[in-house]
Amino acid sequence: MALIAPSILTADFLRLGDELRRAKGADVWHLDIMDGHFVPNLTFGPLLCAAVAKASEIPVECHLMVERPQELLPRYAEAGARRLIVHAEATPHLHRLIAQIRDLGCEVGVALNPGTPLGVIEEVAADLDLLLIMTVDPGFGGQSFQPRQVEKIRRARELLPKALIEVDGGIGPNTAPEVVRAGADILVAGSAVFAPGADPQERIAEIRRSLHESR
Ligand code: DX5
Ligand code: ZN
């Protein structure tokens, strides 16, 4: 069964501890790190990552949507991130960046924007623990799922029989079944889990139900 990784981007930050406790059924915390340069939005940094890692037994992954990720990776490793995900578009030296993450003792993830061909990771495919296929243009929560990415997930599954395939953007009960059928192992869900007035536990259960029902 696919794992669910709630993105805290749309959670209530003033009550974050409470939001995390209410999101029962989460398998991974997905932290969206944005620097206002690689993407036109700015979020949070290593201090928040450390606070989440300390507050919960559930592993934390950091999705770095930043320029010069090599300068920031050590901070997130120190902050307790289990997995570090970097964008292939953020570096001309993807192989070096992967080695750096490995040396920091973290699991290695690489993310691809919707407009980036799968071929850019072909030569490093064997070095990846996880490939993150973006199903929206990164930068904001609550955007619409791009259905054309489903075919890319299918091809990624063939190219990477052993690595985890994660999908991020516009995932909820309506889109989860088709990405899992295409080969996704981990579903990032932001606004489908954390929304004003929503019960995060119930929202996670709803995504799982959609997967059961479509089997
Ligand atoms: C987008 C982020 C996603 C996003 C997911 O730049 O990487 O993790 O917050 O949010 P939803 O599920 O609302 O599309
Ligand atoms: Zn993300």
Side-chain angles (χ1 to χ4, degrees):
M1 180 53 77
L3 302 180
I4 297 183
S7 158
I8 66 165
L9 201 54
T10 49
D12 180 347
F13 286 162
L14 286 182
R15 300 173 39 249
L16 187 56
D18 205 35
E19 294 272 71
L20 298 181
R21 277 187 294 278
R22 292 173 67 220
K24 291 208 170 50
D27 297 298
V28 177
W29 300 125
H30 180 89
L31 303 196
D32 287 304
I33 315 295
M34 305 186 189
D35 67 351
H37 297 282
F38 182 75
V39 287
N41 195 6
L42 195 59
T43 57
F44 36 76
L47 290 177
L48 190 90
C49 174
V52 172
K54 204 169 149 202
S56 170
E57 303 276 287
I58 295 171
V60 172
E61 64 180 14
C62 290
H63 174 194
L64 275 80
M65 288 159 273
V66 302
E67 289 183 355
R68 297 188 304 283
Q70 66 277 10
E71 294 173 13
L72 293 169
L73 288 169
R75 307 274 306 275
Y76 290 96
E78 279 162 28
R82 170 87 57 91
R83 181 159 53 225
L84 297 173
I85 304 167
V86 288
H87 269 263
E89 302 85 358
T91 178
H93 302 294
L94 189 55
H95 181 268
R96 180 180 289 152
L97 207 53
I98 288 169
Q100 185 188 1
I101 297 174
R102 196 68 76 201
D103 284 349
L104 289 166
C106 295
E107 288 178 30
V108 176
V110 169
L112 298 179
N113 285 336
T116 303
L118 188 59
V120 302
I121 54 104
E122 206 173 324
E123 305 304 324
V124 294
D127 303 327
L128 304 186
D129 296 311
L130 175 141
L131 178 69
L132 174 57
I133 305 278
M134 292 301 303
T135 39
V136 298
D137 291 306
F140 303 93
Q143 302 181 81
S144 301
F145 177 78
Q146 298 183 13
R148 281 189 357 220
Q149 298 303 311
V150 174
E151 177 53 28
K152 191 172 172 186
I153 299 166
R154 230 171 260 133
R155 283 184 281 118
R157 183 71 289 163
E158 280 170 23
L159 180 64
L160 301 162
K162 294 205 188 108
L164 295 167
I165 307 277
E166 184 171 44
V167 175
D168 186 1
I171 301 296
N174 294 331
T175 48
E178 62 176 322
V179 297
V180 169
R181 270 198 299 274
D185 303 294
I186 308 184
L187 308 178
V188 176
S191 50
V193 171
F194 293 115
D199 174 355
Q201 176 173 3
E202 176 49 32
R203 293 296 193 91
I204 291 171
E206 223 173 284
I207 297 173
R208 281 200 211 288
R209 269 198 300 278
S210 76
L211 298 177
H212 279 295
E213 283 161 12
S214 75
R215 272 206 290 193

